[in-house]
């Protein structure tokens, strides 16, 4: 039973929230026997738990804390006046549409524009009829999982994986098998080995869930060679791939890479989002899927929400029609690049030996590995005392591993705050090292070490509802 | 397998849509073997089907057709300029909040205001911490079902029931047992009998789903005496009640009735919506639940959508703060009352003997029973030829009954259109009677007849995934 109060401003699984209002304090029954309905809940609720990230919020929202925890985009970099009057006009001028129910599949005009956006990543054969608009790409992921996954089915997912995806898989009572990654992304050999072993075990593998670009939380990107290798494996093993790509257009150094979906329109279901390129508060995402799947997704979304909000869909479509959205994405990328630089430079300058981290060339996140023997989860209260917050790595694994990792987000704080945050964090790590007297155990590994460890360790483990509470212990 | 193309403008399960854009035509594979993924879908998808209502859309959106089919509110009766500038200001002035991620539970200020709204129906002990904001009350219903229902569990629901609820229950692989209604709403004796029988059968009854006010589709309201009787039965049988109440404030004749939730805060989970009192295009609904349930609902909604859209929540909160929303609801009620009158008056004047219907004193719907021997589903193509549309009753039952019924919505067309629509419909019914030469089989029953029939007939039937396709045959 989750015991963390959430009446306090609570944020979405994956996200930092910036809340200014208070909420009623309250007490959640701490023991199932105090809940008269305790014996009536569905089986799928048993593993549901408050995310590591949500547990941090009351702390992180204190202004004196530098938060490297949340994944909030820098929305104030948008032309707010222009967007405001654009949306106001939509309501005054088109209220009969923007305030009314719409189609379950989503506004046809928006779906056309979404095809234009995907073309930037090499997807040129998509038609608006294959697109379903969703309430953020989170809902897209939930719908796809609902349509494909029965309890006990196996989902392959990178180690680590987006925490919000793990929540969806958990609630579908799926078993997650992690696939090792390194600095070049998902390791194709580990994927193939997993598929062979699953077949041997008689596991029903429903799909591979992957974030190929600027991975959350790992910060790495799947290389071109690996993309080809992964597609070849998918072909060989008749594997369905869910390509989750909210960050693909936010690269710092080169043009967007060619999506997996651009290589195979039948075998890849693509999830996109306007949360990072425009605004997450509108909750507009989408899924691109073969027509037969699309049909099922529409039925599933109608049962779930009837239709996505009309106003927010019209707002995005109008934004894409009338505002310089490509330039805005460039501007966002510049801003995040500056913050990434501030983060990496201070890590280079200040982190004690034995600490390693990834070097993202896009997106929001750095994935940091602590010196041998340190535990990011256990260190967290001391970090908060030192007025810096991060997300412990453990939440990004379905199997309780990842204690030596943390995710640092550089997307939201200003560069100076980032530098100050990293300075504080470095001091905490040093103090921790002193405490543990583990100066001898310096680890010079890179992220590649995760891959090796994971492919050795995780390869035997499939994590399902039965043991997915493993990482719930010791919440601060 | 649903074979109805939905690339054409498609609407939410329950709703009419008013779409002006075209969409790509396409062909859905008509046979599972043509879908390479056919053997991979989750079990819950097998019973998913295009709703009766959605199947009507391409027809209904033709301007020459009078549609008594959709349930779209009359949003153009809103002060669109004021609402537009209010929303524009929210974005320009508070973009950092309205365009950003928010709390999974929903904006605390909006939750406070929702408590004020519920107080109008006698719910005075609700606290904002017990409210979860949802993407329409449809999502609220889906979340509650996710939290409570395992495949095979039984849900009690009125006969007939809101088609969108049946879709949710179907996708949860629940079995629906219908409870008879009459002009006074749900029949308490039928409820108690069902509970006794379910207990005898060892069925796990998870909850009663009921729409006590201005029922969709039946148009009837649960009387005060019956409310007390239902609560007493719930107490006796330890029954959880889901009270779905989107229309409660839209009464024509008297003050809102006291909600079931106002009588028991632990045993009733209340679902509310701004779709009918303000705007459905914003998709803002809510659920009010005891804290332990609330906690699970928040986890479930985080897995589903992360958080509801911030912009639409701020829009509703600001609307409640700054606009004369109570007066607007009065205005809506006046408008719907006029349309109800137009509908009932023309039915009285024009329908052939043997046709009966309910007389709603609020909400959107009239439930009409055809003369003996006629079938609303089979009559539909002829009605469409005569340029009038309705929803066949069959979609509102999980067990394939209801062929003699239809739902007429008077909420959207102007009074004159309604009169013209009913005139056309009366002619179709007359022609049908001629055709069938069944003048002898005049049925003088009122809606009460449904109740009797249902309590005799449906009482033995629990409808589950196995036979819920029963009413799918013969789609026009
Ligand atoms: C990898 C990934 N997928 C999906 C999401 C969900 O984004 P949204 O629902 O806002 O589109 C996020 C958000 O952080 C993410 O990082
Ligand atoms: C009885 C009932 N419940 C729920 C809904 C869903 O409404 P919304 O999701 O727009 O709040 C409707 C819509 O018509 C309804 O009639």
């Amino acid at each position: 039973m989750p015991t963390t109060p959430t009446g306090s401003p609570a944020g979405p699984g994956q996200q930092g929230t910036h809340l200014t209002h208070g909420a009623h304090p309250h007490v959640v029954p701490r023991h199932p026997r105090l809940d008269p309905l305790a014996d009536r809940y569905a089986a799928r609720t048993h593993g549901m738990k408050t995310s590591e990230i949500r547990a941090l919020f009351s702390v992180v929202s204190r202004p004196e804390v530098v938060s490297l925890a949340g994944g909030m985009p820098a929305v104030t970099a948008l032309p707010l006046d222009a967007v405001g009057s654009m949306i106001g006009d939509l309501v005054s001028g088109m209220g009969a549409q923007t305030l009314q129910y719409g189609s379950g599949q989503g506004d046809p005009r928006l779906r056309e524009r979404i095809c234009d956006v995907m073309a930037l990543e090499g997807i040129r054969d998509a038609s608006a009829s294959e697109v379903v608009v969703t309430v953020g790409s989170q809902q897209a992921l939930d719908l796809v999982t609902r349509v494909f996954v029965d309890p006990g089915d196996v989902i392959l997912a990178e180690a680590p994986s987006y925490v919000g995806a793990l929540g969806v898989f958990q609630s579908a009572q799926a078993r997650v098998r992690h696939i090792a990654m390194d600095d070049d992304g998902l390791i194709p050999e580990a994927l193939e080995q997993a598929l062979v072993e699953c077949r041997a075990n008689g596991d029903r593998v429903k799909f591979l869930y992957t974030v190929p670009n600027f991975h959350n939380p790992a910060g790495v990107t799947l290389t071109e060679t690996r993309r080809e290798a992964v597609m070849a494996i998918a072909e060989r093993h008749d594997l369905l791939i869910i390509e989750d790509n909210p960050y693909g257009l936010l690269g710092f150094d080169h043009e967007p890479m060619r999506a997996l979906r651009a290589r195979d329109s039948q075998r890849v279901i693509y999830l996109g989002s306007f949360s990072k390129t425009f605004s997450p508060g509108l909750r507009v995402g989408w899924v691109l899927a073969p027509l037969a799947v699309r049909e099922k997704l529409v039925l599933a979304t109608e049962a779930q929400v009837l239709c996505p909000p009309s106003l927010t869909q019209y707002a995005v479509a109008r934004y894409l029609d009338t505002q310089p959205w490509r330039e805005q994405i460039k501007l966002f990328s510049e801003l995040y690049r500056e913050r990434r630089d501030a983060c990496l430079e201070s890590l280079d300058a200040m982190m004690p030996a034995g600490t390693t981290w990834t070097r993202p060339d896009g997106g929001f996140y750095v994935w940091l590995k602590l010196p041998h023997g340190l535990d990011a989860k256990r260190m967290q209260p001391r970090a908060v005392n030192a007025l810096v917050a991060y997300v412990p790595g453990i939440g990004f694994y379905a199997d309780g591993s990842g204690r030596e990792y943390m995710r640092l987000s550089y997307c939201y704080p200003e560069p100076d705050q980032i530098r100050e945050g990293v300075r504080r964090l470095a001091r905490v790590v040093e103090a921790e090292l002193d405490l543990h007297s583990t100066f001898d155990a310096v680890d010079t590994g890179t992220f590649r070490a995760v891959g090796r460890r994971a492919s050795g360790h995780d390869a035997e483990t499939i994590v399902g509802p039965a043991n997915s509470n493993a990482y719930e212990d010791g919440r601060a």
Side-chain angles (χ1 to χ4, degrees), chain A residues 51-234:
Chain A
S51 87
E52 292 289 329
I53 301 176
R54 182 140 72 98
L56 283 174
F57 282 114
S58 43
V59 165
V60 163
S61 51
R62 282 157 49 199
E64 66 273 23
V65 174
V66 172
S67 175
L68 304 169
M72 293 194 294
V75 290
T76 47
L78 287 164
L80 296 179
D81 282 336
V83 174
S85 66
M86 179 195 90
I87 294 179
D89 290 351
L90 275 174
V91 174
S92 314
M94 295 181 66
Q97 292 82 45
T98 58
L99 298 181
Q100 189 57 277
Y101 286 111
S103 131
Q105 188 178 352
D107 175 44
R109 172 149 194 90
L110 173 60
R111 288 188 274 118
E112 297 280 357
R113 302 313 316 266
I114 283 172
C115 292
D116 300 343
V117 173
M118 292 190 292
L120 299 178
E121 301 188 301
I123 301 172
R124 297 184 196 285
D125 61 346
S127 99
S129 66
E130 295 167 312
V131 173
V132 181
V133 180
T134 55
V135 181
S137 59
Q138 184 73 26
Q139 197 212 356
L141 188 57
D142 188 69
L143 291 174
V144 168
T145 304
R146 270 208 200 196
V147 161
F148 283 102
V149 179
D150 284 311
D153 285 350
V154 171
I155 294 171
L156 307 180
E158 287 134 347
S161 273
Y162 167 52
V163 63
L166 296 180
V168 170
F169 302 156
Q170 153 80 52
S171 119
Q173 298 165 273
R175 295 181 298 149
V176 171
R177 179 178 175 131
H178 281 300
I179 309 291
M181 298 177 87
D182 62 21
D183 296 306
D184 295 337
L186 178 70
I187 300 172
E189 295 72 27
L191 172 62
E192 184 141 40
Q193 191 190 330
L195 284 164
V196 169
E197 289 175 14
C198 284
R199 177 160 315 165
N201 294 344
D203 293 324
R204 278 163 57 97
V205 174
K206 280 303 172 73
F207 53 72
L208 165 70
Y209 167 75
T210 178
V211 181
N213 294 312
F214 319 127
H215 190 269
N216 178 2
V220 301
T221 294
L222 192 65
T223 58
E224 179 57 34
T225 333
R226 290 224 176 147
R227 285 175 196 235
E228 288 301 318
V230 166
M231 292 315 297
I233 291 169

Side-chain angles (χ1 to χ4, degrees), chain A residues 63 65-68 412-423:
Chain A
V65 174
V66 172
S67 175
L68 304 169
Y412 195 70
E414 310 267 336
D416 276 348
Q417 288 179 283
I418 293 171
R419 280 183 273 266
E420 177 56 27
V422 171
R423 185 174 304 124

Side-chain angles (χ1 to χ4, degrees), chain A residues 296-319:
Chain A
K296 290 192 180 336
L297 293 170
V298 171
L299 292 170
T301 195
E302 285 176 353
Q304 203 167 93
V305 299
L306 288 185
C307 58
S310 302
L311 177 61
T312 56
Q313 292 183 78
Y314 276 85
V316 173
R318 179 67 63 95
Y319 177 78

Side-chain angles (χ1 to χ4, degrees), chain A residues 14-15 71 135-139 141 162 209 211 216 244-247 272-276 280 283-285 365:
Chain A
Q14 204 289 316
Q15 303 306 331
V135 181
S137 59
Q138 184 73 26
Q139 197 212 356
L141 188 57
Y162 167 52
Y209 167 75
V211 181
N216 178 2
D244 185 13
N245 189 30
Y247 305 102
S273 175
F274 291 103
S275 286
K276 320 292 172 169
R283 311 301 301 121
V284 181
Y365 311 107

Side-chain angles (χ1 to χ4, degrees), chain A residues 381-405:
Chain A
R382 280 181 284 269
V384 168
N385 271 346
L387 303 178
V388 59
Y390 55 80
V391 185
I394 200 171
F396 302 97
Y397 294 82
D399 60 2
S401 61
R403 301 196 84 100
E404 64 276 37
Y405 290 96

